[in-house]
Amino acid sequence: MKKNILFCEGFTLIETVLYTSLFSVLMSVAVISGYSLVLGGNEIEQNVFVMQEQRFINHRLNLFVNLANEILLPVQAQSGDILEIKLFDGRVCSFSLGNMQTWCETEDPVVLVGQLVSVSEAQFTNYPATILSPAYIRATYRLNGSLVESDYYY
C-alpha cells in the first residue's frame, strides 16, 4: 500500500507560522515585562537611598540646632547658606548645605552625604519667635533635584 504524503495529518505551513509568531509575541512581552521590573527595582533602590540621605541630613541638622546655645548665622529674619552656632561649651560650629559639611573650630570637616547624592540651592533662614510660634531655622535645599524644606525649632 502506498501512502500519499499530501494527505498526512500534521501542521500545515500556515499553522506553523501562526503559532511561531504568536509564541514570539508572547516571549517579547515577557522579556519587556521582566526588563521593566529590573529597571523599576533599581529606581526604587535609588529613591530609598536618597530618602535615607535626607533623613540623615534632617537628623544631623536637628541635633545641630538642639546643641546650640546661640545661633550666630544667619542672624534673625535673614537667610544664608551657612548655619553657624555657638555650643554650650563655647565652641563655634558650622553646617554648610552647599558642600554638605559640618565642622567645629578645632576639628576637621565631616562630609555628610555620599557621592550618589547632589545637593543644590541650599539656604538657611532664621525666623524670630512670635506670639504663636517659637524661633526656628528653616533649611531649604534640593536633594537630587527634589525640593526639601524642614523647620528646626530652638
Side-chain angles (χ1 to χ4, degrees):
M1 229 164 114
K2 276 183 165 178
K3 285 188 174 180
N4 193 346
I5 298 177
L6 294 176
F7 297 108
C8 289
E9 290 187 26
F11 293 111
T12 64
L13 181 60
I14 292 174
E15 288 174 326
T16 306
V17 168
L18 182 67
Y19 293 140
T20 306
S21 63
L22 183 62
F23 179 74
S24 64
V25 166
L26 290 175
M27 286 305 293
S28 64
V29 167
V31 167
I32 289 171
S33 297
Y35 188 69
S36 296
L37 283 174
V38 169
L39 285 180
N42 290 341
E43 186 177 326
I44 289 171
E45 185 178 331
Q46 184 177 10
N47 288 343
V48 167
F49 179 75
V50 170
M51 286 174 56
Q52 287 175 336
E53 290 290 333
Q54 179 182 344
R55 275 200 341 227
F56 176 75
I57 292 168
N58 285 343
H59 175 72
R60 188 69 180 203
L61 269 168
N62 192 33
L63 179 68
F64 202 73
V65 171
N66 286 331
L67 290 175
N69 184 28
E70 180 183 355
I71 305 288
L72 301 176
L73 286 176
V75 294
Q76 282 200 343
Q78 299 216 353
S79 298
D81 60 347
I82 292 180
L83 175 62
E84 193 170 275
I85 65 166
K86 184 183 240 183
L87 300 175
F88 287 101
D89 63 4
R91 290 183 301 152
V92 175
C93 295
S94 300
F95 193 105
S96 172
L97 283 170
N99 57 7
M100 288 312 299
Q101 291 183 346
T102 181
W103 64 93
C104 290
E105 293 173 332
T106 58
E107 301 171 7
D108 290 334
V110 176
V111 178
L112 296 174
V113 294
Q115 296 175 347
L116 300 175
V117 177
S118 66
V119 177
S120 61
E121 301 177 29
Q123 186 151 343
F124 294 104
T125 306
N126 191 347
Y127 290 95
T130 64
I131 295 173
L132 300 175
S133 74
Y136 64 97
I137 300 287
R138 175 169 288 161
T140 308
Y141 56 95
R142 290 199 177 274
L143 189 64
N144 278 10
S146 298
L147 183 64
V148 178
E149 188 173 273
S150 300
D151 295 338
Y152 304 96
Y153 295 91
Y154 64 94

